Amino acid sequence: MEHLELFFKSIFIDNMVFATFLGMCSYLAVSKKVSTAVGLGAAVIFVLAITVPLNWLLDQYILQPGALSWLGEDYASYDLSFLSFIMFIATIATMVQLVEIVVEKFSPSLYNSLGIFLPLIAVNCAILGGSLFMQSREIATLGLALNYGIGSGIGWFLAILAIAAIREKIRYSAVPPALRGLGITFIITGLMAIGFMSFGGMLTGGDEGAKKDKKSASIELQKEDINNEEAKDKTDLELAENINK
Amino acid sequence: MAKDSRLILDPLTDNNPITIQVLGICSALAITAELEASIVMSVSVLFVMGVGNVVISLMRNIIPSKIRIIAQLIVVATLVIIVDLVLKAFAYELSKTLSVFVGLIITNCIIMGRFEAFALGNGPWRSFLDGIGNALGYGIILIIVGFFRELLGSGTLLGIPVLGDPIEKTGLYALGYENNGFMLLSPMALIVVGIIIWVQRSRNKDLIED
């Protein structure tokens, strides 16, 4: 249940493009044709699914305050979290290079469709953003981190696919000359983001919303208690009156 | 000398990194709901770009071209760590608001783009000017967007109310004016930038695409 929730949340509610504007540069630059957009989107899913869990391990066992305690008691007080930017980006850059080499070796056809996008990805904010959000949202287990990586990758894929399809169609419309190209793409993305905001109502709990609900629920419970006591008092009074009669 | 001044002035208008070169948009949009955050972000990028361009330009002859991306990333990441630690030390609240977006300066395409396009082929002084110019061009858009979003969204500038008090109904609010809370939500950043692009391109017809 927790997995399913995180999965849908990272696709729709916390969509990389529409909610946090990550990876906008390549989103705008590579969305002129659907076929290239699909290639880049697939590469993003792939790389996020590898780097987020990997950076989770790094964060958990090296970077967090006290994460080095597995080396012995002397290391328990170390806090290397200031190194996280450099470690994350180094991991991402090397992984992208590694993935490129492996894919080229074992699957030339996949390399032909994905290959040219892989170098672009090392500097895509969505990839680093995925790792940084994973760290700041304190995702609990390796499985959830993998889930988060894949989910946000799919969210990004959906976004670039949608905008590429719209941009292919909009070529036939009479857009004001000054808005053509970049301007209209920005405005369409804004409108799509408004659409995606409606998914915010999909939250099923386990989030800030749920915490608030709990608070208000406990307040209501207290109120009920008070009401019950009053009711008790009333019944007691009535009983006493009856007895008196 | 005239050429050098163009390095700074061009990115401010006709070669703006955000509206023309389409670089560095991610961070430009997410943090512009308040003017203060936009200014701090612009200053951080100014620092990283100015220093980063000089460093890369000094090292341009010794970086092997095959691993230049990783080398550039390491330089930027180091500078961003400095910015992050300084922000955490002197403006903790603000660094909470900016959250991961300080870290995302690393992958800000403006920085990599200028390294690739300029610093790898030019001397340190010209690279420094180019870095400053592009960072200012980036900052100017950020500040314009932040200005309108904060003014129309919450009726304040830098946290100071300028349109009167919405609860006491003074100033503009006495005339029935209401804050447009929608401006604070993320989609409006995109639409505001879209409008800036629209205005800029209608004033200068050379910039129109296709």
Side-chain angles (χ1 to χ4, degrees):
Chain A
M1 191 57 211
E2 201 184 1
H3 280 265
L4 204 65
E5 192 185 314
L6 183 72
F7 186 67
F8 282 107
K9 200 170 162 229
S10 48
I11 294 181
F12 294 110
I13 302 168
D14 290 333
N15 187 290
M16 282 259 174
V17 174
F18 297 128
T20 48
F21 303 119
L22 295 181
M24 283 298 280
C25 311
S26 26
Y27 166 86
L28 291 168
V30 193
S31 60
K32 285 194 177 119
K33 273 167 74 187
V34 171
S35 53
T36 46
V38 169
L40 184 67
V44 167
I45 300 182
F46 197 56
V47 174
L48 268 175
I50 295 173
T51 57
V52 173
L54 209 63
N55 280 334
W56 185 87
L57 287 174
L58 266 180
D59 185 44
Q60 210 70 16
Y61 293 108
I62 296 182
L63 296 172
Q64 273 183 4
L68 284 172
S69 52
W70 54 273
L71 276 175
E73 294 225 328
D74 298 345
Y75 296 92
S77 62
Y78 281 36
D79 176 5
L80 296 181
S81 53
F82 68 93
L83 281 179
S84 45
F85 292 159
I86 214 163
M87 292 286 271
F88 284 176
I89 197 70
T91 317
I92 289 168
T94 26
M95 278 321 292
V96 168
Q97 206 92 65
L98 206 67
V99 166
E100 197 182 345
I101 295 168
V102 170
V103 170
E104 190 180 10
K105 177 88 182 157
F106 290 105
S107 166
S109 62
L110 185 65
Y111 181 76
N112 284 337
S113 53
L114 276 188
I116 43 168
F117 299 110
L118 282 172
L120 261 183
I121 281 183
V123 289
N124 187 333
C125 339
I127 310 293
L128 182 63
S131 292
L132 289 176
F133 272 123
M134 173 273 298
Q135 189 189 31
S136 73
R137 288 180 188 161
E138 292 170 359
I139 286 182
T141 64
L142 186 61
L144 281 174
L146 176 68
N147 185 339
Y148 179 71
I150 295 176
S152 35
I154 293 177
W156 201 88
F157 177 84
L158 281 182
I160 195 167
L161 190 64
I163 193 76
I166 293 176
R167 282 180 83 170
E168 276 197 357
K169 288 284 173 203
I170 213 161
R171 226 173 288 153
Y172 307 109
S173 322
V175 179
L179 265 181
R180 249 172 238 161
L182 193 58
I184 194 71
T185 314
F186 263 102
I187 291 178
I188 293 172
T189 310
L191 295 176
M192 281 161 76
I194 294 173
F196 263 71
M197 278 171 61
S198 59
F199 286 117
M202 238 170 54
L203 265 188
T204 49
D207 204 67
E208 293 96 297
K211 276 177 204 160
K212 262 185 210 162
D213 283 349
K214 257 187 201 168
K215 257 191 194 168
S216 55
S218 65
I219 291 171
E220 273 171 21
L221 271 181
Q222 283 175 349
K223 271 187 191 165
E224 269 178 28
D225 281 348
I226 294 169
N227 287 341
N228 282 345
E229 276 170 19
E230 280 176 4
K232 252 190 192 172
D233 287 348
K234 266 187 190 169
T235 44
D236 282 354
L237 273 177
E238 279 172 9
L239 267 179
E241 277 174 10
N242 285 340
I243 292 167
N244 282 345
K245 278 177 188 172
Chain B
M1 196 61 218
K3 248 183 151 184
D4 282 357
S5 70
R6 288 196 69 79
L7 284 178
I8 289 210
L9 293 180
D10 259 6
L12 289 183
T13 51
D14 291 349
N15 199 16
N16 189 287
I18 292 183
T19 60
I20 311 295
Q21 301 176 47
V22 207
L23 294 175
I25 294 165
C26 332
S27 52
L29 301 172
I31 45 90
T32 48
E34 290 164 14
L35 189 53
E36 196 183 2
S38 331
I39 292 174
V40 169
M41 190 70 181
S42 317
V43 174
S44 315
V45 170
L46 190 73
F47 168 76
V48 174
M49 279 211 71
V51 180
N53 257 4
V54 171
V55 172
I56 291 291
S57 164
L58 286 173
M59 299 201 306
R60 69 185 187 279
N61 294 322
I62 51 167
I63 301 176
S65 71
K66 275 197 172 167
I67 58 157
R68 65 176 193 286
I69 302 233
I70 295 183
Q72 288 163 358
L73 284 174
I74 299 296
V75 170
V76 189
T78 318
L79 292 168
V80 170
I81 289 175
I82 297 174
V83 169
D84 186 45
L85 291 179
V86 168
L87 276 182
K88 272 186 187 148
F90 294 104
Y92 188 70
E93 286 302 310
L94 209 60
S95 80
K96 280 275 168 237
T97 327
L98 293 176
S99 68
V100 302
F101 292 99
V102 178
L104 287 173
I105 297 177
I106 298 172
T107 45
N108 195 322
C109 335
I110 290 188
I111 293 176
M112 298 296 286
R114 291 327 290 175
F115 282 1
E116 287 280 304
F118 202 90
L120 280 177
N122 287 282
W125 173 243
R126 283 169 61 80
S127 306
F128 177 70
L129 290 182
D130 181 73
I132 298 289
N134 276 288
L136 286 175
Y138 168 85
I140 221 169
I141 300 289
L142 238 70
I143 289 172
I144 294 175
V145 178
F147 176 83
F148 282 112
R149 282 182 74 192
E150 192 177 344
L151 183 69
L152 300 176
S154 38
T156 57
L157 285 177
L158 294 172
I160 304 160
V162 287
L163 300 179
D165 195 322
I167 300 161
E168 309 246 321
K169 300 279 175 214
T170 56
L172 262 184
Y173 298 100
L175 304 172
Y177 176 80
E178 289 285 343
N179 281 331
N180 184 359
F182 201 58
M183 290 298 283
L184 294 177
L185 298 175
S186 45
M188 282 315 286
L190 286 162
I191 293 177
V192 172
V193 175
I195 293 171
I196 292 175
I197 292 174
W198 192 0
V199 171
Q200 191 186 13
R201 292 191 182 182
S202 357
R203 289 168 57 97
N204 187 347
K205 302 281 181 206
D206 296 341
L207 301 175
I208 293 172
E209 285 176 46
D210 318 314

